[in-house]
Amino acid sequence: MSFQSPQLAPQVVLSGHGLVKYYGNVVGLAGVDVGVRSGEALAVMGPSGNGKTTLLHVLAGILTPDQGEVWLGGERVDNLNDAARTVLRRRRLGFVFQDNQLLAELPADENVALPLMVDGLSRRDAIGRARNMLAQVGLAQEAGRRPGELSGGQAQRVAIARALVGEPQVVFADEPTGALDAATGSQVIDLLIGAATYRGAAVVVVTHDNSVAARCHRVLTIVDGRVSESMGAAR
Amino acid sequence: MNPMTDLGLRFVRRPGPGGRAANLAALGATAIVALLLTFLIAGSLGLAQRSDRVGWRSTDEGTADGAVGILKEVRGKQLNGDPLTVIQLQSLKPSNQPPPGLDHVPAPGEVFVSPEVAKQWSGLKGEYGVDKPTGVITDKGLASPEELVVVQGVAKIDSNYPNYVGSWVNDTKDDRVYALLIAVAFGIILVLFPLLSLVGQAAGVAAKRREHRLAALRLAGSTRAQVLWLSSVEQAVLGFAGAVVGLIGYVVLTPLIALIPLGGGRWYVSDITPNWWTVPLVLVAVPVLSVISALIGLGRVSITPLGVVRGQTRKATSAFRLVLLLIGPIMLATLGMGAAIVPLLIAIGFGALAVRIIGPWAVQMIGKIMANTSNGPVPLLAGRRLADDPKGAFRPVAALVLSGFVTGFISVFIPGGDSDPTTQDMRIGVALLLGLVFLTVAASTAAGAVGTALDQAKPAKALRRAGVPLSVIERSARLAAVTPVLGVGLPVVGFGALCGLALSGGQVFTQGNTGILLLIGQVVVGLVLVAVAGTAGSPVLRKASAN
């Protein structure tokens, strides 16, 4: 399945300014400035333990920075309380993790529908939207199957559907192809970036994989909690 | 030291992330098992000791030849509105051994009284012909510290059927205590199933935590025997620690347990203090049962380690098990209803077995219905969880089946007026039994909830990151823990009560039997207890799924 990005005005939808994060005495982020535009895919690379995932968590409101600010769609979000950040993550952001993290007891359509139901949508409407989303990622036939009955690539596509079903402004992905073989990983990352940017959402991908980074519009390299390099990718 | 033993001990000392909570839950549940086991043993021995002290009063085994005296219990006496036991005693020949608690055999005109009667002596208004008692009966001759007893020496007992006594020191069981001992034996059998189930659940919590680790060890080349030995070492250490905590807990609670007015008043603490062999028995039995339960639970790992690692889907509960329900009616029809008690016991046994068989199936159905009709995330998650592992969800409730059914049955079926001492004993006994059962089920539910919380920690963490509030995850876990109790356990108790009602001819309504009120009250309290126990996984889930 292929998607073509619409011609959208390139607005910065998510930005972090002077982000600093400590874990006790250990520096996680040492003053990072970053911005990502609607419909843009940003890869965050760098050695292990140098702050990539911390940056993703701070931008996504999972962690709060010790210094600096995070802005989403013109609204400062780092100073929101935990409950407000939870709602923000559910309604305006999407997440894809390395090993899909789907609920084993729920079939694919209910896994995708769950965030919508948490947000108050009726079961009927939530399942309808979930199945529609699954069809868009090529899993219409697998809607009633549980994660244990799906291949790794299929499960990751369900996770992408779950991340996109709420029509988020930004999708965060933490090593989304880490548990997949090269060919399946390529398909999954193409699907993630294609489907998200087609909807005008920004994508922030933390990855070690150069082939994943090559599919993004820009690459940000983090070393020792600082941005060491920022460049446009070969896309 | 065997490397697997060494590794097992190391895992107990450093259980890894989430392991401490699992070990604490297993230890707590095992401690409750040890506490209840000690209570059952020490309570039974206490009843026997009490019986030995007062058995001489109701002996009827003597003959005129060689008898030391004649006894007679004067019935219907009261002291300040409370029932008073009055024993008349006629000595036929001198005896070196007076009755327990008395310093000599009362001569005609002498009156010995219990300390409580001595306090209220003025209330008897000279009824026994003396200004003050000859002596006070010591603890060695009393059932309870508050017992009201008068032992009166008389010159001659007039009776067509004199009750001759061969010895004043006689261990004949008191009728009331004898009935209670039988009831206790029955009760132990009923509580045994919940206790064994709790041991299994306690072992299962720690085992779940270990499943992946052990499966990894198997995949890395460890033999089945090595993996099972390692688990045995871990579980034995936890079981022993739980047994020690349970024994200490029992000793601490003994003064409170002594207040239970079963079988004729409060207890002497010494009666229910564990004796020399109870302690080693509990310290050995509890760890051994824990190890056996853990090994049974680990069968899956030792057989299909890959299945555990991959988190394969469990096999669905087969509706074929419903066919097994036909065995009971067929056996009943074959045996007939000739001897009333045998078919009744078979019917009760198969009724309980039937619930055990269809229980997981019923839980699965309830789960599916709950999930398919849900309009919110909480029942959806809870329902799918129940449907996914109905056997696991039913396990804590399985303990409730037989004991819940029988308790429900007895509490309504108890005959006689409410003031009858035997009825009162039975009522207190049933209340105690139901209390023990609910306590055990609550502990099982708590242990199960912790196990589920540990299982769910990883996806719960992902859900929280994706913006699903922790309260949704917690509420669904709570609902999944409590639903089987409400959906299966409660109907079982009700069904038992209904059978009791039918067989007693509806005397609850005709004779003002308070059993039904007692049952309802206890069930409500018990369910609240179980519901609270269902929240035991919340702090574990909160911690394990935190960012």
Side-chain angles (χ1 to χ4, degrees):
Chain A
M1 187 168 295
S2 65
F3 295 90
Q4 289 193 338
S5 295
Q7 296 301 309
L8 297 173
Q11 298 172 320
V12 173
V13 66
L14 174 73
S15 60
H17 308 279
L19 297 174
V20 174
K21 182 70 186 174
Y22 297 103
Y23 297 104
N25 293 325
V26 178
V27 179
L29 295 176
V32 173
D33 292 300
V34 61
V36 59
R37 297 172 188 282
S38 298
E40 182 186 34
L42 171 71
V44 181
M45 299 192 77
S48 296
N50 273 238
K52 301 187 300 293
T53 298
T54 300
L55 176 62
L56 184 143
H57 287 174
V58 168
L59 290 174
I62 294 169
L63 296 174
T64 50
D66 293 315
Q67 289 174 36
E69 297 174 0
V70 179
W71 290 73
L72 177 68
E75 180 190 353
R76 186 174 173 187
V77 294
D78 61 278
N79 53 2
L80 298 175
N81 63 25
D82 186 58
R85 280 186 285 120
T86 299
V87 173
L88 177 117
R89 290 201 297 273
R90 190 168 70 237
R91 293 186 178 163
R92 297 171 65 184
L93 307 177
F95 295 87
V96 179
F97 301 101
Q98 181 173 355
D99 43 359
N100 69 67
Q101 300 290 357
L102 301 171
L103 289 171
E105 306 94 334
L106 266 55
D109 55 359
E110 289 179 355
N111 258 297
V112 176
L114 187 67
L116 301 176
M117 289 175 74
V118 171
D119 231 10
L121 207 64
S122 72
R123 176 193 173 83
R124 185 192 170 94
D125 291 346
I127 293 285
R129 275 177 62 178
R131 288 186 180 157
N132 185 29
M133 196 67 235
L134 282 169
Q136 290 184 45
V137 298
L139 291 176
Q141 302 303 314
E142 278 74 23
R145 293 170 71 178
R146 297 196 291 182
E149 299 162 338
L150 300 171
S151 69
Q154 286 175 324
Q156 202 62 313
R157 281 198 272 166
V158 175
I160 291 171
R162 183 173 69 178
L164 294 175
V165 76
E167 295 176 359
Q169 290 174 285
V170 185
V171 176
F172 293 93
D174 194 353
E175 301 283 6
T177 60
L180 304 174
D181 62 75
T184 310
S186 293
Q187 290 169 8
V188 164
I189 200 68
D190 282 345
L191 176 70
L192 170 65
I193 294 173
T197 55
Y198 173 74
R199 290 168 170 73
V203 180
V204 178
V205 187
V206 165
T207 184
H208 279 108
D209 189 339
N210 286 324
S211 66
V212 170
R215 287 173 160 79
C216 296
H217 300 102
R218 270 195 307 135
V219 178
L220 195 71
T221 305
I222 303 280
V223 178
D224 292 335
R226 296 175 189 281
V227 176
S228 77
E229 196 178 2
S230 178
M231 60 182 201
R235 185 181 167 97
Chain B
M1 190 187 289
N2 178 323
M4 283 293 162
T5 307
D6 185 42
L7 197 58
L9 293 175
R10 204 182 306 165
F11 282 156
V12 175
R13 283 198 303 271
R14 291 190 218 101
R20 194 178 300 276
N23 284 354
L24 277 176
L27 194 144
T30 319
I32 289 177
V33 172
L35 192 151
L36 294 180
L37 190 63
T38 312
F39 172 68
L40 290 173
I41 297 172
S44 307
L45 294 174
L47 268 178
Q49 280 176 27
R50 175 184 273 190
S51 170
D52 288 347
R53 291 197 300 270
V54 300
W56 70 275
R57 297 182 203 161
S58 57
T59 183
D60 57 358
E61 292 172 356
T63 56
D65 296 337
V68 294
I70 304 174
L71 279 182
K72 180 184 177 187
E73 182 173 353
V74 184
R75 298 187 183 273
K77 294 287 183 182
Q78 288 199 330
L79 174 57
N80 295 330
D82 294 320
L84 173 69
T85 304
V86 176
I87 306 291
Q88 288 186 341
L89 176 157
Q90 177 194 343
S91 178
L92 295 177
K93 63 180 180 186
S95 170
N96 290 331
Q97 285 188 305
L102 277 64
D103 58 9
H104 64 270
V105 179
E110 288 187 330
V111 175
F112 284 79
V113 298
S114 62
E116 200 56 39
V117 172
K119 274 190 218 163
Q120 303 179 49
W121 180 252
S122 59
L124 290 171
K125 297 170 184 160
E127 192 177 333
Y128 296 95
V130 287
D131 292 338
K132 61 176 186 176
T134 314
V136 174
I137 304 169
T138 66
D139 295 350
K140 288 179 181 168
L142 295 173
S144 155
E146 64 196 4
E147 195 181 20
L148 299 174
V149 186
V150 172
V151 179
Q152 182 184 22
V154 294
K156 183 163 177 56
I157 290 175
D158 287 325
S159 171
N160 291 333
Y161 304 100
N163 194 3
Y164 290 106
V165 178
S167 163
W168 296 120
V169 184
N170 194 309
D171 60 359
T172 303
K173 297 278 180 280
D174 175 64
D175 286 348
R176 187 173 172 184
V177 173
Y178 191 68
L180 263 178
L181 274 173
I182 293 173
V184 165
F186 189 54
I188 286 176
I189 293 170
L190 289 180
V191 176
L192 205 61
F193 287 106
L195 274 185
L196 287 174
S197 167
L198 176 55
V199 170
Q201 197 77 357
V205 176
K208 266 186 185 171
R209 196 56 216 128
R210 291 197 284 265
E211 256 190 356
H212 280 77
R213 195 173 62 201
L214 296 180
L217 279 172
R218 279 280 283 147
L219 292 173
S222 299
T223 64
R224 187 165 182 254
Q226 282 176 319
V227 164
L228 294 180
W229 174 253
L230 187 147
S231 293
S232 304
V233 170
E234 271 189 277
Q235 197 58 46
V237 173
L238 285 174
F240 185 78
V244 170
V245 172
L247 276 168
I248 293 171
Y250 178 80
V251 172
V252 171
L253 289 175
T254 306
L256 286 178
I257 295 169
L259 298 177
I260 300 170
L262 187 65
R266 287 187 289 123
W267 294 78
Y268 289 108
V269 170
S270 58
D271 275 348
I272 51 170
T273 300
N275 65 3
W276 68 269
W277 56 262
T278 306
V279 174
L281 179 76
V282 171
L283 288 178
V284 171
V286 171
V288 167
L289 285 174
S290 300
V291 167
I292 292 170
S293 298
L295 294 186
I296 292 170
L298 282 173
R300 202 160 78 100
V301 171
S302 54
I303 296 165
T304 57
L306 266 176
V308 171
V309 170
R310 286 177 185 163
Q312 275 174 354
T313 310
R314 291 178 178 88
K315 216 171 125 184
T317 308
S318 167
F320 175 72
R321 57 180 55 214
L322 292 174
V323 177
L324 299 174
L325 294 179
L326 297 175
I327 295 173
I330 290 170
M331 277 190 73
L332 268 178
T334 311
L335 290 170
M337 298 293 285
I341 191 71
V342 175
L344 183 68
L345 285 177
I346 291 174
I348 289 176
F350 271 101
L353 185 66
V355 179
R356 285 187 81 95
I357 291 170
I358 62 164
W361 181 83
V363 167
Q364 194 172 44
M365 285 299 114
I366 292 171
K368 280 183 179 171
I369 293 168
M370 191 190 273
N372 291 336
T373 58
S374 65
N375 208 19
V378 173
L380 174 72
L381 285 170
R384 287 284 176 241
R385 201 161 290 157
L386 293 175
D388 182 58
D389 184 15
K391 285 180 189 167
F394 182 69
R395 207 167 290 134
V397 191
L400 190 67
V401 171
L402 182 62
S403 33
F405 177 84
V406 176
T407 317
F409 180 88
I410 295 174
S411 58
V412 177
F413 190 63
I414 293 171
D418 287 348
S419 59
D420 177 41
T422 308
T423 306
Q424 283 176 350
D425 280 350
M426 284 186 77
R427 200 145 286 157
I428 295 170
V430 168
L432 200 59
L433 186 64
L434 203 56
L436 289 179
V437 168
F438 268 119
L439 183 64
T440 315
V441 172
S444 282
T445 306
V450 171
T452 308
L454 289 166
D455 268 1
Q456 298 291 327
K458 216 172 166 186
K461 190 172 187 170
L463 284 178
R464 287 182 73 180
R465 285 179 174 177
V468 175
L470 178 64
S471 62
V472 169
I473 302 166
E474 284 183 344
R475 271 160 49 213
S476 68
R478 212 156 47 225
L479 186 61
V482 175
T483 299
V485 181
L486 289 173
V488 181
L490 194 56
V492 165
V493 178
F495 183 57
L498 201 66
C499 290
L501 191 68
L503 283 172
S504 68
Q507 67 163 8
V508 171
F509 303 110
T510 55
Q511 293 184 20
N513 191 325
T514 53
I516 195 84
L517 291 175
L518 183 80
L519 175 70
I520 292 169
Q522 279 231 291
V523 167
V524 169
V525 172
L527 289 176
V528 169
L529 193 68
V530 172
V532 171
T535 65
S538 296
V540 179
L541 190 65
R542 196 174 307 143
K543 197 172 172 190
S545 67
N547 293 310

